[in-house]
Amino acid sequence: MSDENEAPFGPSSAHVARITRRRVSVVTFVVFTASSATLLMADLLWGMPLQGWNGIVLALYAVLISLVSFGASQAFFGFLVRRGRGDSCLLTRLEPAEETEDAPLGPTAIVLPIYNEDVARVYAGLRAIYHSVAATGRLEHFDFFILSDTTDPNIWIEEEVGWVELNRELNSRGRIHYRKRRHNTNAKAGNIADFCRRWGARYRYMLVLDADSIMSGETIVRLVRMLERHAGVALIQTAPVLARGETLFARILQFGMRLYSPVFLSGLNYWQQGQGNYWGHNAIVRLAPFIAHCALPELPGTAPFGGKILSHDFVEAALLQRAGWAVWMVPDIDGSYEEGPPTLIDSAQRDRRWCQGNLQHFWLLFARGLRGASRVHMALGIFSYAASLLWLTSLVLGTLLVIGFVRTGLTWVPTPGLATTFGIAAHVEIVVLVALTVLLLFGPKLLAVIDLLRQPGGAARFGGTSRVLLGVLGENLFSILLAPILMVFHAKFLVATVLGVGVRWVTQRRSSGDGTGWGVAFRTHADQTILGLIWLAAQIYYAPGLIGWMSPVLAGLVFSVPFSVLTSREAYGRAARRHGLFSIPEEIAPPPELVSVDDTLNQSRPSAVVLPDTSPDRGLFRAIFDPYVNAVHVCLLRERPGHSEEIRQYFDEVRERLLQQGPEALKPKEKLALFSDAESMAWLHAELWRRPPASLALWWREALRSSTDRVRISALA
């Protein structure tokens, strides 16, 4: 067998010819639809005054309608290939002959990078995955790694204790591992790279999860088998389904993605084939080529455009393909799930990070050796945010153009255009242009609905035909209001990034809590509301006839605050669920893995002998006071070489200050330093139990008294 670092073989001539034919079809569709719409727009603008403005509007429209056409092409060709027996060029249908069920599998590491996450949710998901893999009878081929970059001491302690308890519950000692990095350099990409350096040589494959990922054991085993059978494939990306959404925002989002994504993903696979993309999670990787070729470069300059690469997944897929390996997306494999953002503001915060990461790819668009498909993926990632600024600019210029006509009193088309030469009135041409644009925007959703309804029992999986149609109507109204809000958000993110305002790595909120408060919503959406009101006032005063055309944009901006607040409420999400609205198959007939997560999280947890959860230093107290927790924490800290005299004196001083003055006397970095030093944690535990309470700070005395009272209450119970 050839060295696994090198691709065993390249694509066959038949494979290349097939990809070429498919991509020519996609390009033909895009060129035909986009050029037709652009020609209509150019004819309408022909001969008008303000030529410079017209040219800018036409150029913007040409770019934007091309992007819309490309998106529509995904649904169109996905719809076509899903007819009858489906697409014959899926990786799942290109597999060699089936092997026996007990054929050995390559050793696989299932890695779970986490950063200040909800520990209960993370371990509930891991427990469900572990049980599901065990149910396949192939557990011996898998090891699990919790890769923590957590910086909150309270969560850090919960992770460690939870890991020990999880191993005890599952009897999985030596199978589920926990590692806490001392320095979270380069965020998630650095976390994965650290794993590859330390343990990558032990495994043939690596399944990468996110903190909210859930996957079935059958799907995981199948992915390993697929890599075993396809020696030239380095990465297989599943299409995770959004699930477990509780807020109205999350439910509508997951309903739309679950309903529409099959045709879009089939269309995506139609043209990309083995030159697919990587989304950073719910994917399996062949470790040898990943380690050999995916060391990320540091971009020239400083953040936000330079420095460490944020959106590492696109780049890693491109580097694998540059080395001759295939990257496939498998849209037809079930059993892969994730959770979406619970609120609009949470979604926007995530988009802010993605925006900067995608814009960084501009440096790589012209890198030597990259495949054309990789450049397309990166360019589309950039335009997914740049298009918002282009749309905003186009709409503003279009409004100014109309206002200019109204104020000058000129006719709409002062000189004959191409359409008028053939006897077609200008207003008819406008209707045709609007109809074509609307068809490209909403036609893909219509195709997805038709695709669902023609499947036997397809609508029943979503609660029935009537609920599907009501859900589609509600989702479209939701999308119409959401689009202008995201347009302004993304435009602002793009401008901020260009001006050098970077982002830092923050924890992604997985649950809404009480939802978005009105004060937070007003502060977050103030600029959108003000823009919408000014825009509306200008049209009322100068061009009231334009309001009807612009009403979807204006409504989204003006009502952005109540839209954000109301869609963030779990009560409205639960009400929709009771009426069967926005239901998805995974909710109507939930798979065992999702049921397991819900059951685990719904179980009552015994009260721990620690400070109340509201205490900002409960983790510090627990790690020092509780002998069991202290032993776990100290054992998990890596041994460090002997400290210099200066460092020893530093720790001596900080430790004494902690005991005599309490945690409030320490800075966050000093607390983390103590948490990371095994000698200090062991010393603090011994001293806390040895010293008389009178010699300790008031905070410690009250904490000890509270813990003693809770022990007594637990004993009486």
Side-chain angles (χ1 to χ4, degrees):
M1 185 175 178
S2 62
D3 188 343
E4 277 208 347
N5 292 344
E6 303 300 327
F9 52 82
S12 66
S13 57
H15 179 71
V16 172
R18 180 176 69 244
I19 294 177
T20 302
R21 288 195 302 270
R22 291 184 168 209
R23 291 178 180 173
V24 168
S25 300
V26 172
V27 171
T28 301
F29 178 95
V30 173
V31 170
F32 176 77
T33 55
S35 60
S36 298
T38 303
L39 179 61
L40 289 172
M41 176 64 81
D43 193 47
L44 284 170
L45 295 175
W46 177 258
M48 290 183 182
L50 305 174
Q51 292 296 319
W53 293 104
N54 294 347
I56 295 174
V57 170
L58 180 61
L60 289 172
Y61 183 80
V63 172
L64 292 170
I65 201 64
S66 297
L67 293 173
V68 172
S69 297
F70 183 74
S73 73
Q74 314 290 304
F76 177 76
F77 288 102
F79 178 80
L80 291 181
V81 297
R82 286 172 60 83
R83 296 179 304 167
R85 299 179 60 187
D87 191 355
S88 62
C89 298
L90 296 164
L91 184 63
T92 51
R93 302 184 68 172
L94 298 175
E95 291 184 24
E98 285 288 333
E99 300 173 355
T100 59
E101 288 295 315
D102 58 352
L105 302 177
T108 303
I110 299 177
V111 301
L112 180 60
I114 55 177
Y115 177 74
N116 294 330
E117 300 285 350
D118 178 358
V119 177
R121 167 60 187 87
V122 169
Y123 285 174
L126 184 59
R127 180 185 288 104
I129 296 171
Y130 185 93
H131 280 308
S132 188
V133 173
T136 67
R138 315 307 298 273
L139 183 62
E140 71 274 10
H141 301 288
F142 298 90
D143 285 336
F144 298 77
F145 287 83
I146 304 164
L147 308 178
S148 175
D149 268 348
T150 291
T151 56
D152 185 329
N154 298 317
I155 299 176
W156 183 356
I157 293 301
E158 286 185 51
E159 289 173 358
E160 293 180 337
V161 175
W163 167 72
V164 174
E165 294 174 350
L166 184 66
N167 272 302
R168 179 188 298 151
E169 174 194 340
L170 299 177
N171 192 26
S172 57
R173 184 177 180 182
R175 180 92 37 207
I176 301 179
H177 308 272
Y178 174 87
R179 192 273 285 122
K180 166 72 173 67
R181 272 206 301 173
R182 191 179 299 274
H183 303 290
N184 52 11
T185 306
N186 205 19
K188 181 180 176 180
N191 203 349
I192 296 294
D194 181 79
F195 167 81
C196 291
R197 286 191 297 269
R198 295 177 183 276
W199 296 287
R202 301 182 185 181
Y203 301 95
R204 190 178 302 170
Y205 309 118
M206 172 178 68
L207 183 79
V208 183
L209 302 175
D210 253 0
D212 59 357
S213 296
I214 304 171
M215 293 186 72
S216 73
E218 290 184 359
T219 297
I220 292 171
V221 170
R222 186 176 183 186
L223 291 173
V224 174
R225 283 180 175 153
M226 290 174 71
L227 282 184
E228 294 274 83
R229 295 166 183 162
H230 296 280
V233 177
L235 190 150
I236 300 176
Q237 174 66 62
T238 67
V241 171
L242 292 183
R244 300 190 71 248
E246 295 294 335
T247 65
L248 185 61
F249 180 88
R251 286 184 57 78
I252 297 177
L253 196 67
Q254 70 186 21
F255 170 80
M257 293 194 68
R258 187 65 177 90
L259 178 59
Y260 306 138
S261 62
V263 294
F264 280 97
L265 294 174
S266 296
L268 187 61
N269 179 75
Y270 175 82
W271 68 265
Q272 68 180 19
Q273 293 291 282
Q275 296 178 358
N277 209 355
Y278 174 37
W279 302 337
H281 59 91
N282 291 54
I284 191 167
V285 177
R286 192 183 299 270
L287 267 169
F290 185 84
I291 293 172
H293 303 293
C294 292
L296 296 177
E298 187 160 329
L299 299 176
T302 58
F305 281 108
K308 302 292 185 181
I309 294 176
L310 293 182
S311 295
H312 57 92
D313 37 18
F314 281 42
V315 181
E316 289 159 348
L319 293 174
L320 287 171
Q321 293 172 51
R322 185 176 70 171
W325 292 88
V327 174
W328 280 84
M329 187 264 294
V330 284
D332 57 330
I333 289 184
D334 296 325
S336 179
Y337 315 99
E338 65 173 328
E339 296 172 12
T343 70
L344 170 55
I345 293 178
D346 289 310
S347 178
Q349 289 173 341
R350 184 181 65 175
D351 282 350
R352 177 66 180 92
R353 298 192 301 273
W354 288 356
C355 176
Q356 179 175 326
N358 285 8
L359 291 179
Q360 283 183 319
H361 294 163
F362 179 81
W363 292 107
L364 304 171
L365 278 178
F366 310 103
R368 287 178 294 179
L370 293 188
R371 304 276 183 172
S374 299
R375 301 184 199 276
V376 169
H377 287 306
M378 292 183 183
L380 290 175
I382 294 171
F383 272 108
S384 65
Y385 294 96
S388 292
L389 182 59
L390 298 181
W391 274 115
L392 181 59
T393 304
S394 177
L395 290 172
V396 170
L397 289 180
T399 302
L400 294 176
L401 194 62
V402 173
I403 291 175
F405 276 112
V406 172
R407 295 188 66 189
T408 58
L410 296 174
T411 58
W412 182 251
V413 182
T415 58
L418 181 62
T420 54
T421 303
F422 293 99
I424 301 174
H427 67 274
V428 175
E429 193 173 18
I430 292 174
V431 170
V432 173
L433 177 61
V434 171
L436 178 57
T437 304
V438 170
L439 181 63
L440 291 175
L441 286 171
F442 293 96
K445 293 185 177 183
L446 177 61
L447 290 177
V449 174
I450 295 173
D451 178 78
L452 175 72
L453 295 179
R454 74 183 182 186
Q455 298 174 21
R461 298 170 61 225
F462 287 82
T465 302
S466 61
R467 286 189 170 89
V468 168
L469 297 179
L470 284 174
V472 170
L473 177 61
E475 191 278 332
N476 276 278
L477 292 174
F478 170 85
S479 298
I480 289 171
L481 293 173
L482 178 64
I485 300 174
L486 292 182
M487 175 182 69
V488 176
F489 264 138
H490 293 171
K492 183 167 65 174
F493 298 160
L494 181 70
V495 172
T497 303
V498 171
L499 293 179
V501 180
V503 296
R504 61 187 181 89
W505 191 29
V506 296
T507 305
Q508 180 175 328
R509 197 168 67 141
R510 311 287 181 180
S511 62
S512 67
D514 295 329
T516 301
W518 286 97
V520 173
F522 274 114
R523 290 192 296 272
T524 304
H525 300 285
D527 53 350
Q528 297 161 356
T529 305
I530 293 171
L531 174 62
L533 291 174
I534 293 175
W535 207 338
L536 176 61
Q539 292 180 38
I540 292 174
Y541 187 79
Y542 291 110
L546 186 60
I547 294 177
W549 294 97
M550 292 293 296
S551 57
V553 175
L554 297 174
L557 296 178
V558 171
F559 297 108
S560 58
V561 171
F563 177 86
S564 182
V565 171
L566 297 178
T567 59
S568 73
R569 298 291 192 249
E570 290 188 3
Y572 297 135
R574 289 192 293 267
R577 182 172 184 171
R578 285 195 301 270
H579 290 86
L581 291 177
F582 310 118
S583 297
I584 60 174
E586 288 71 22
E587 186 176 76
I588 294 175
E593 294 76 21
L594 297 184
V595 172
S596 173
V597 172
D598 290 334
D599 289 346
T600 301
L601 294 177
N602 290 332
Q603 291 175 358
S604 60
R605 298 185 181 88
S607 299
V609 186
V610 294
L611 289 175
D613 288 345
T614 55
S615 171
D617 293 298
R618 63 186 183 277
L620 182 144
F621 174 77
R622 191 179 184 190
I624 294 175
F625 166 76
D626 192 317
Y628 172 74
V629 176
N630 181 263
V632 169
H633 182 68
V634 170
C635 288
L636 287 174
L637 292 174
R638 295 194 303 273
E639 292 292 335
R640 301 179 67 179
H643 295 313
S644 66
E645 186 63 28
E646 182 180 1
I647 295 177
R648 188 177 296 109
Q649 290 178 359
Y650 167 80
F651 278 117
D652 289 344
E653 188 274 329
V654 173
R655 293 185 309 213
E656 283 295 337
R657 183 152 38 96
L658 173 62
L659 292 178
Q660 295 180 15
Q661 301 179 32
E664 64 273 10
L666 270 61
K667 299 176 182 177
K669 66 178 182 180
E670 292 175 325
K671 296 177 186 177
L672 277 178
L674 289 180
F675 258 89
S676 303
D677 186 62
E679 179 184 344
S680 293
M681 294 302 294
W683 184 89
L684 284 167
H685 173 70
E687 287 297 305
L688 182 65
W689 281 88
R690 186 182 65 182
R691 293 187 181 186
S695 66
L696 299 172
L698 177 62
W699 186 91
W700 287 105
R701 296 198 298 271
E702 292 179 347
L704 290 169
R705 186 181 305 112
S706 173
S707 294
T708 303
D709 291 342
R710 295 182 71 177
V711 169
R712 290 171 181 165
I713 293 172
S714 299
L716 291 174

